[in-house]
Amino acid sequence: MNGLLRALGIYAGRFGSALIRHPAIIVLVGMALLVALPVRAEVAAPAALAHAIAAENSRLSAQIAETKTALERARSDLVQQRNNQQQLEQRMQRIERHAQVHALGQIFSQTVIEQLSLLPSVEGFDAARHARKELLEAASDTSLKAEHALDELADMETAVVLRFGTAQPALPDTLWPQFAAVARPLLRQQQVLLTSLDELQQELAQALQANDAAALALVQRTQAVRTELTRLLFWVPARPSLQTISELAPSWAWMTSAANWRAAVLTLGGQLAWRPFWPTLALVLALTLFLARQRLQAKLVALAPSAANAERYWIGYTVTALAITLALALPGPLLLWTAADLLRAAPDAQRFALALAAALVVSAKLLLALSAFAGLLDRRGVAGGHFGWDESLLSFSGQALRRFTLMFVPLLFLVALNGLDHAPFANRESLGRMSFTLAMLVFALFLGRLLRRRSPLIQRLYARAPRSWAVRLYALWFGAALAVPLAIAGLSAAGYSVAAAYFFGHTLMSLFMVLGAVALYGLIALWVQVERRRLRRRQALEALRLAREAAVEGDEDGSEVAEPPITRLDIAAISEQTRSLLDLFITLLLLGGIWWVWKGGLPALSVIIDYPLWTYHATVDGQSTTLPLTVGKLFLAIVVAVVTAVAVRNVGALLDIVLLQRFEVQADATYAIKVITRYALAAVGMVSAFSILGIAWDDVHWLIAAMGVGLGFGLQEIVANFVSGLIVLAERPIRIGDIVTVGDVTGTVARIRARATAVLDFDGKEVIIPNKAFITGSVVNWTLSNQTTRLLLKVGVAYGSDIALVQRLLLEVVQGNADVLQEPSPSVYFMDFGDSSLDFEVRAFVGSFDKRLRVTHELNFAIDAVLSENGIEIPFPQRDLHLRSGPALVGGQGSVPAQGDAATAPPAGPPSPAASALP
């Protein structure tokens, strides 16, 4: 039939003109087509289904070919990784064999540096692992699909029937034999292809997994080799020699070579043309920030608390100001970073271009950090406008930091260009070393000018805290600050370039972390002040509303009540409790950050950390052994002691804010909990530090025995006071704020310490009383369980006064005082017939001890006035004197005593006969 149709087509093409001229022929051809087309459609449908199956088989064949290629590549990569690891092991064994010789020279250092540069990067491992992960996922998916298709082809007849039945449009059953004859071999072929594809995909998955395992082992070994090589290079010097001086000229020529710079610029241009989106975006962003600089600075000033509306000010303004400060410092570093990224991404970049990229990255990071901190210290910046730091100090520090940046960043650019991985070894040992030494000297000069005794910073420190530890130890920490960069410069000059670079980088990061911690302290303190001021403002407005409502109810003008003033934010005014908590938080955060900075270099510092100072005996697994006390353990013990001291000092504020304020705990119990917690922390810290130092109980039991002997002679009072202090804290017979009388001392309990308690008497003097006196002696606590205290006033009136009237007047006076409690009720008693007066006692109660003196004064004043108004006399003491002549006057001895002497003579008895005979 197909041949017939083709013949008809050829015939129509050749004799088309004849057909047009003969209509009868056209009619015959049309009738033939009407008969032939249904027959062609019936035959074409099974052929189309068979063609679809054949196309599926072709796609499977292509997938099999691709899978074989991927499998060969994966196996080749696996062999390559194993070879790389084997070569790495061989090179490392050779280096370790040479490292056993203690006299190592410059060639060894150069070899180690070259091996370090040849080690694969972590970024390359990550990219390869990501690509393998995608391939493994695709292989797994393809294998699952193949397995599902094989399950469908397990019963061939069913598969053929399904293919025939799912045809669209539906085929008549008359075509089934023809379709089955064509489809069965094609589906069998597809079954074989699917089986082969599934096996290949499984082999590919296994090869990729083996690649992952080999890559992981290579990564781990590479990291170990890098650590070991760094450790070897850390303390292997490349001592300067005449060759170092001779290499300056070629190193300078390499750095200033026009060809190298031209190639780097061409590489940069090529990368920019190849991927222009991100570099163009960075350039537009940097240009926008530079052009908007003045507007951002004006916005920075407008966000300050002094300029903003105090009622609407919130901490988000300061966070925005910090973001603006960072944006002002970003344009230059952003351009440097973009250029470095383009140079590093170039596949055919030369060695100079890669070294230039590394130098640009170092310069960008350093410039960003220094510029951001210089902007932070600007007098219109966050430190002055938000944190309230002194403007004169900020101006001095900011100018010094900007001048330092202009000198230090170019020097570090030279150091990085000539001293990092891609620079020649000659450049490292000549120009790179000299530039680095010069940079460290500039750093030391900057610290010296900034922290010298006559600088505004240190002068303000001496003026504000002349007796602080920072002032007392100024010479020590100033010398240490100068010694650090000078020591790093000395390491570099002596040939320890790797160690010098490591110490410098981590010291600089630690310094920036300290500055960041100071900025964080200011931000948190400002937030505390903002929240407290907002709370006080809300409370003041509520009190104002209540006062105005009360004024309106009393028919008064409520507008006369003044609104509360808006207070100025002052970080220095935060409470001691909040300051202590902030100190603890920032100190712990800073210690954690410094540990994070330095922890990566612990293997390289093992020469110092593991250096033994002395040895001690310890019992390990039941056996006595000798262990060394290293520098690392000593430093760790010092860190534990410092952390313990900071925790003991600030744990009280932490307990107050975090725990104790959430519960209804009395003030005395709160104080006792804080003191006992401090003692417990101090004990734990001491035990931990001693255990790190190798001092166990067996080492100090003799000291405890000696102390026990000493207790029996002279230390028993100290121990008694300490134990008494613990009893006072536990039983609480006295508390902070109680008014007590111990012996002849009366005052308020100010502090309870381990040995003694400080009592502030009413003259403002602090009396230190040993704790033993509160346990073994008699103590009067006026405010222990009840603040109510009784007043006892003695009043005498003259004989002949109306006793009932006196009692009534005294009672009225006492009851008329507002501070005298009505329950227990006051009372007046007639107590005694005195020598010169009728004695009354007035007994009244007041609510607290601090009212005793004032209420006593008011009652005495009122009693005197009311008795005077009613004509009742308060008599003076009266005494009758009888003068007699003394026996010594008989016989003319002595003279007659004067009147004053007679007045002071004791009362005489009945006259004697001898005295009666005198004239």
Side-chain angles (χ1 to χ4, degrees):
M1 183 62 67
N2 293 336
L4 176 62
L5 291 175
R6 283 194 298 272
L8 288 174
I10 295 172
Y11 180 79
R14 292 180 179 179
F15 303 100
S17 57
L19 291 175
I20 295 174
R21 291 192 300 266
H22 299 83
I25 296 176
I26 295 175
V27 173
L28 291 175
V29 170
M31 295 177 63
L33 290 174
L34 289 174
V35 174
L37 285 177
V39 176
R40 177 177 174 83
E42 293 180 357
V43 176
L49 290 177
H51 182 70
I53 297 174
E56 292 177 1
N57 292 346
S58 299
R59 287 195 297 270
L60 289 175
S61 299
Q63 285 186 352
I64 289 173
E66 293 176 357
T67 304
K68 289 181 178 179
T69 303
L71 180 59
E72 292 177 358
R73 189 183 305 113
R75 289 172 177 173
S76 176
D77 291 342
L78 179 59
V79 173
Q80 183 65 33
Q81 288 184 9
R82 290 174 177 173
N83 291 335
N84 290 340
Q85 186 168 0
Q86 185 177 2
Q87 294 174 4
L88 183 62
E89 295 289 347
Q90 293 175 356
R91 293 196 299 267
M92 194 61 193
Q93 290 175 3
R94 185 168 59 251
I95 291 176
E96 289 177 348
R97 185 174 66 253
H98 287 282
Q100 294 177 359
V101 181
H102 296 290
L104 300 175
Q106 186 174 357
I107 302 300
F108 180 81
S109 301
Q110 184 175 357
T111 304
V112 173
I113 291 174
E114 291 176 353
Q115 293 300 325
L116 275 173
S117 62
L118 292 176
L119 290 178
S121 63
V122 179
E123 292 79 7
F125 282 119
D126 291 339
R129 182 178 57 84
H130 183 70
R132 284 194 300 270
K133 181 179 179 182
E134 293 181 351
L135 286 176
L136 188 61
E137 292 176 355
S140 177
D141 293 342
T142 304
S143 178
L144 286 175
K145 291 179 182 178
E147 290 175 357
H148 291 163
L150 286 173
D151 291 340
E152 293 176 357
L153 294 178
D155 189 351
M156 186 59 65
E157 294 300 324
T158 303
V160 174
V161 171
L162 288 175
R163 291 274 186 164
F164 185 81
T166 56
Q168 294 294 335
L171 299 178
D173 295 339
T174 56
L175 296 178
W176 162 252
Q178 182 180 359
F179 172 76
V182 177
R184 283 193 185 96
L186 291 176
L187 290 178
R188 289 192 184 95
Q189 182 184 5
Q190 187 175 108
Q191 190 176 28
V192 173
L193 292 175
L194 286 172
T195 303
S196 178
L197 179 62
D198 185 26
E199 294 176 353
L200 287 174
Q201 292 293 340
Q202 291 180 4
E203 291 179 5
L204 178 61
Q206 294 175 359
L208 291 174
Q209 290 176 353
N211 259 321
D212 272 339
L216 180 60
L218 183 58
V219 167
Q220 294 175 352
R221 184 53 183 161
T222 301
Q223 294 294 338
V225 168
R226 179 176 283 109
T227 301
E228 182 64 19
L229 290 178
T230 304
R231 187 189 66 82
L232 289 175
L233 194 61
F234 206 83
W235 301 113
V236 175
R239 293 180 177 85
S241 60
L242 294 178
Q243 184 180 359
T244 304
I245 305 300
S246 63
E247 289 173 346
L248 282 175
S251 300
W252 180 264
W254 180 85
M255 185 183 68
T256 59
S257 172
N260 288 337
W261 284 98
R262 189 183 305 110
V265 171
L266 291 176
T267 302
L268 185 63
Q271 285 295 109
L272 184 61
W274 183 56
R275 46 171 194 165
F277 178 74
W278 291 112
T280 304
L281 182 62
L283 180 62
V284 171
L285 178 59
L287 184 61
T288 303
L289 291 176
F290 180 76
L291 295 177
R293 187 175 185 84
Q294 293 184 353
R295 186 175 300 176
L296 290 175
Q297 289 176 346
K299 183 66 174 178
L300 190 64
V301 174
L303 288 173
S306 58
N309 188 355
E311 295 183 358
R312 297 169 51 192
Y313 183 82
W314 68 299
I315 198 63
Y317 289 176
T318 304
V319 177
T320 305
L322 289 173
I324 291 176
T325 303
L326 185 61
L328 290 173
L330 191 59
L334 183 60
L335 293 178
L336 296 179
W337 231 314
T338 303
D341 184 66
L342 290 175
L343 290 175
R344 286 185 301 182
D348 55 347
Q350 298 180 1
R351 193 169 185 177
F352 180 82
L354 296 176
L356 179 61
L360 290 176
V361 170
V362 171
S363 302
K365 292 180 180 179
L366 186 61
L367 182 60
L368 178 62
L370 292 177
S371 301
F373 279 108
L376 184 69
L377 296 177
D378 190 88
R379 60 184 182 85
R380 299 173 300 175
V382 176
H386 294 257
F387 298 163
W389 295 355
D390 188 85
E391 292 187 1
S392 61
L393 299 182
L394 293 177
S395 178
F396 168 75
S397 304
Q399 291 178 2
L401 188 58
R402 290 186 182 92
R403 289 195 296 266
F404 172 70
T405 302
L406 293 177
M407 297 180 60
F408 195 67
V409 173
L411 282 175
L412 258 295
F413 174 78
L414 293 179
V415 173
L417 183 60
N418 293 276
L420 293 182
D421 292 338
H422 302 285
F425 183 78
N427 287 58
R428 292 188 178 200
E429 297 304 317
S430 57
L431 195 57
R433 179 189 298 182
M434 295 181 63
S435 301
F436 185 78
T437 305
L438 181 59
M440 291 301 99
L441 294 178
V442 171
F443 189 25
L445 180 63
F446 165 72
L447 291 178
R449 292 180 58 85
L450 187 67
L451 303 175
R452 69 185 189 274
R453 178 63 181 84
R454 295 182 179 180
S455 70
L457 287 175
I458 305 304
Q459 288 181 357
R460 178 57 59 89
L461 176 63
Y462 272 81
R464 297 189 62 177
R467 303 186 62 182
S468 64
W469 284 105
V471 171
R472 296 177 182 177
L473 301 177
Y474 167 74
L476 179 62
W477 62 261
F478 177 71
L482 291 183
V484 170
L486 292 178
I488 294 175
L491 284 175
S492 176
Y496 296 94
S497 302
V498 175
Y502 177 84
F503 283 120
F504 165 70
H506 287 70
T507 302
L508 195 62
M509 290 179 63
S510 301
L511 182 60
F512 283 140
M513 192 159 292
V514 171
L515 295 177
V518 173
L520 181 62
Y521 182 93
L523 181 64
I524 297 177
L526 180 64
W527 173 74
V528 172
Q529 279 294 96
V530 168
E531 294 300 321
R532 287 189 174 182
R533 189 183 69 172
R534 184 174 299 173
L535 179 60
R536 289 195 299 266
R537 178 75 176 171
R538 190 181 300 115
Q539 293 173 348
L541 291 176
E542 181 66 19
L544 174 64
R545 184 185 63 81
L546 296 176
R548 287 179 174 176
E549 290 179 356
V552 171
E553 292 177 358
D555 297 333
E556 298 178 0
D557 188 6
S559 62
E560 295 181 357
V561 182
E563 291 189 0
I566 299 175
T567 58
R568 181 179 179 273
L569 288 174
D570 186 10
I571 294 181
I574 62 176
S575 65
E576 186 65 27
Q577 185 184 61
T578 305
R579 191 180 300 277
S580 298
L581 183 60
L582 278 179
D583 290 342
L584 177 62
F585 173 72
I586 296 298
T587 301
L588 295 179
L589 188 64
L590 183 59
L591 289 175
I594 292 177
W595 167 257
W596 176 79
V597 168
W598 289 89
K599 69 176 183 179
L602 293 181
L605 297 175
S606 60
V607 175
I608 298 176
I609 295 175
D610 296 336
Y611 184 80
L613 298 175
W614 63 79
T615 58
Y616 62 92
H617 297 281
T619 302
V620 179
D621 296 333
Q623 296 181 354
S624 179
T625 182
T626 302
L627 299 176
L629 178 66
T630 61
V631 174
K633 290 184 178 181
L634 180 61
F635 179 75
L636 182 60
I638 294 174
V639 171
V640 170
V642 171
V643 172
T644 301
V646 173
V648 168
R649 181 178 179 182
N650 301 292
V651 71
L654 179 64
L655 290 175
D656 278 335
I657 295 177
V658 177
L659 183 62
L660 297 178
Q661 289 184 358
R662 302 176 182 270
F663 304 98
E664 295 182 358
V665 182
Q666 297 180 357
D668 57 333
T670 299
Y671 181 81
I673 292 173
K674 290 190 291 186
V675 171
I676 293 175
T677 304
R678 289 192 184 100
Y679 290 162
L681 284 177
V684 171
M686 290 177 61
V687 171
S688 301
F690 286 151
S691 63
I692 293 173
L693 296 176
I695 302 176
W697 171 255
D698 295 337
D699 300 320
V700 298
H701 66 276
W702 58 269
L703 180 61
I704 302 299
M707 290 179 59
V709 175
L711 292 178
F713 290 97
L715 300 179
Q716 67 270 24
E717 291 296 330
I718 296 177
V719 176
N721 288 322
F722 178 75
V723 175
S724 298
L726 296 179
I727 295 174
V728 166
L729 291 174
E731 293 186 354
R732 290 181 290 161
I734 60 172
R735 304 162 301 184
I736 299 297
D738 281 354
I739 300 174
V740 298
T741 298
V742 183
D744 57 350
V745 177
T746 300
T748 305
V749 178
R751 294 183 304 276
I752 302 176
R753 296 290 187 245
R755 187 192 65 83
T757 297
V759 176
L760 184 67
D761 67 2
F762 299 124
D763 293 333
K765 302 189 298 293
E766 286 193 2
V767 182
I768 307 301
I769 302 175
N771 289 328
K772 181 180 177 182
F774 295 96
I775 301 300
T776 61
S778 177
V779 180
V780 177
N781 192 334
W782 297 87
T783 56
L784 178 59
S785 59
N786 191 358
Q787 294 284 337
T788 302
T789 180
R790 189 185 72 171
L791 302 180
L792 182 61
L793 306 180
K794 295 183 178 181
V795 180
V797 298
Y799 277 93
S801 301
D802 188 348
I803 296 176
L805 177 62
V806 171
Q807 183 180 17
R808 181 173 59 82
L809 293 176
L810 294 178
L811 193 58
E812 290 176 356
V813 168
V814 176
Q815 292 176 345
N817 191 291
D819 290 323
V820 174
L821 299 178
Q822 301 302 318
E823 184 63 35
S825 60
S827 57
V828 177
Y829 296 100
F830 177 37
M831 300 299 295
D832 194 10
F833 293 94
D835 293 338
S836 306
S837 62
L838 302 175
D839 296 333
F840 288 82
E841 281 189 2
V842 178
R843 300 180 180 181
F845 294 87
V846 291
S848 61
F849 186 87
D850 56 358
K851 296 180 180 179
R852 286 177 59 87
L853 187 60
R854 180 174 56 82
V855 174
T856 300
H857 163 74
E858 293 174 355
L859 291 180
N860 286 334
F861 195 91
I863 288 172
D864 180 72
V866 73
L867 292 180
S868 298
E869 290 176 1
N870 289 274
I872 299 174
E873 179 184 0
I874 299 177
F876 294 101
Q878 298 179 4
R879 187 182 296 267
D880 294 332
L881 299 179
H882 301 275
L883 298 179
R884 295 182 55 192
S885 299
L889 297 178
V890 180
Q893 297 179 1
S895 60
V896 180
Q899 184 178 357
D901 297 333
T904 58
S912 62
S916 334
L918 291 175

